[in-house]
Amino acid sequence: NVRKEVESRIGYELEYYPEKPTLRVESHHLGVGEQKQEGLKYIGFPILSGMLNYEQAIKIADLAEEVGAELRTTTQQNLIFVNLPEEELDGTITKMEDIGFTLKQSKIRKYAIGCTGHPYCVFSLGLGTSAREELEDIINHLEETIGDLDLTINSAGCPNGCSRPWLSDIGIQGTSKLLPDGERTQAFNVLLGGGRREGEVVLARLILKRALPEDVKLSIERVVRTYLNEKQEGETFKDFTWRHEVNELKKMMVEQK
């Protein structure tokens, strides 16, 4: 394994720690929250794929200066107003809605992470539907057909996986597919069951390979519906996926003809 290979090269054994690192409870810092400082609040706004245009960026910066707050970004692609005076709370929320960002979003939309993809990234395949567009399409479809869901969806446009698709309930990874006519087109791998589970971090398993963009949302809807219909009491989507073998999950996702 990796440890033995490293030890053979450095010439001595690495120290073993009897206890695994303790995982912190994950927090997205979304919505309104209390700060330790008296009279100050924070507000976390979800920004899908972290995308905002320059006009929005300028307006947000001006707003933060106007209300006497600071701005911070997160690895979950959220934007947080910190050190916000309590009396500026409602006005800030209203003005952010006018700029185009609201706190009133579904959980699957708030918790989603997506890379910018084509045309903003040089590693993007650029063969059609970008990872950002695919993520929005999946979320819109699930909101319309199933409703709100307490799960995470991470969408990446290439194998670099900047949005960490292996560490989400549902991961989308951009790839390509060779069609019968010899043309190469955009496709996506679909992974299930990654993230924190039973005090450890587990990597999602690859379930579907090279699915076409228009098929991905339907495949995800099928497995989510199966989960909702067959889950055990208190069972999360992640635990449900690990209760089944890869072939079983694939069968749930593929349309039965």
Side-chain angles (χ1 to χ4, degrees), residues 32-37 39-42 86:
V32 178
E34 298 281 348
Q35 290 190 193
K36 294 181 180 179
Q37 299 86 349
L40 296 181
K41 304 275 189 178
Y42 73 80
E86 189 169 358

Side-chain angles (χ1 to χ4, degrees), residues 47-50 77 108-109 111-115 129-142 152-156 163 170 172 188 216-217 220:
I47 301 180
L48 189 61
S49 297
Q77 299 178 327
I108 51 173
R109 188 175 294 273
Y111 298 154
I113 299 177
C115 76
T129 304
S130 70
R132 182 188 71 263
E133 294 168 333
E134 185 69 12
L135 178 61
E136 290 190 44
D137 194 31
I138 292 169
I139 292 173
N140 290 338
H141 181 74
L142 291 178
T152 57
I153 306 175
N154 292 8
S155 178
S163 62
I170 300 173
I172 312 297
F188 292 92
V216 173
K217 62 184 178 184
I220 292 175

Side-chain angles (χ1 to χ4, degrees), residues 157-210:
C158 74
N160 287 298
C162 296
S163 62
R164 310 186 296 278
W166 303 280
L167 296 176
S168 58
D169 293 318
I170 300 173
I172 312 297
Q173 181 190 43
T175 183
S176 64
K177 183 173 185 175
L178 191 63
L179 300 177
D181 61 4
E183 182 181 355
R184 190 166 292 278
T185 188
Q186 180 70 54
F188 292 92
N189 294 330
V190 182
L191 308 95
L192 298 179
R196 299 166 186 260
R197 181 173 182 263
E198 297 179 353
E200 297 184 351
V201 174
V202 295
L203 297 180
R205 293 177 293 174
L206 176 60
I207 309 300
L208 292 184
K209 296 181 180 179
R210 304 185 189 280

